[in-house]
Amino acid sequence: DVKVTQSSRYLVKRTGEKVFLECVQDMDHENMFWYRQDPGLGLRLIYFSYDVKMKEKGDIPEGYSVSREKKERFSLILESASTNQTSMYLCASSDFTGPYEQYFGPGTRLTVT
Amino acid sequence: AQKITQTQPGMFVQEKEAVTLDCTYDTSDPSYGLFWYKQPSSGEMIFLIYQGSYDQQNATEGRYSLNFQKARKSANLVISASQLGDSAMYFCAMRITGGGNKLTFGTGTQLKVEL
């Protein structure tokens, strides 16, 4: 079974703090993704990576950065957390072979106060 | 740009009945894939079913089937014989070939199965 783990289920941070969300997958997948999920908006792609040290902006990259130094690990960084970044963050991974379904981690519910 | 529309924010269905969750999509790319995911209250996203744009037959996986109508650009999920455990949020998503395998998601439909 594919397993995607995220460093925390719940996180509370203060405005202006630097926040790291970590994601690890154990299936040797090339592709990894970070989404945020907000009520009524569904999942929105923040960043994705198709290889080590490669990254691509998604639909809402502003205020975020990412790091992928190893194939199995994809980190999301909030350089200076703001209250509008309070959300559920979901990490996912997928293989390069079809049908490319994404496997998701359990999510991190981040609250910025 | 591609878009997924789910027009039903919430649905109710009685146990053992069938239910259809609507999904329409918009893309000019001829090659794409459509996915449905289930998200129970615990939060994890569970992959349910996939349909490729060139697949001739509608996809089925157990009690789940995908009613794919290409001309209408719709990919509705049909759940047969609903169970209490089917109560969850359901998301439709689309992948564009060559788009880095990223998915575009709809806003979801909250399904509640009642006794």
Side-chain angles (χ1 to χ4, degrees), chain B residues 10-76:
Chain B
M11 289 277 288
F12 290 90
V13 65
Q14 291 223 308
E15 197 182 21
K16 298 177 187 169
E17 298 289 310
V19 63
T20 298
L21 306 184
D22 294 341
C23 172
T24 58
Y25 60 91
D26 187 22
T27 180
S28 56
D29 197 304
S31 180
Y32 51 88
L34 295 155
F35 301 78
W36 276 93
Y37 282 83
K38 173 185 178 181
Q39 187 181 42
S41 56
S42 53
E44 78 273 25
M45 295 279 284
I46 302 165
F47 165 67
L48 295 177
I49 196 166
Y50 167 81
Q51 179 87 41
S53 60
Y54 295 118
D55 293 344
Q56 296 296 313
Q57 306 230 345
N58 286 343
T60 60
E61 287 286 348
R63 293 187 298 111
Y64 304 108
S65 60
L66 201 153
N67 185 1
F68 181 46
Q69 298 190 40
K70 200 168 182 176
R72 293 186 174 184
K73 292 192 173 180
S74 76
N76 299 338

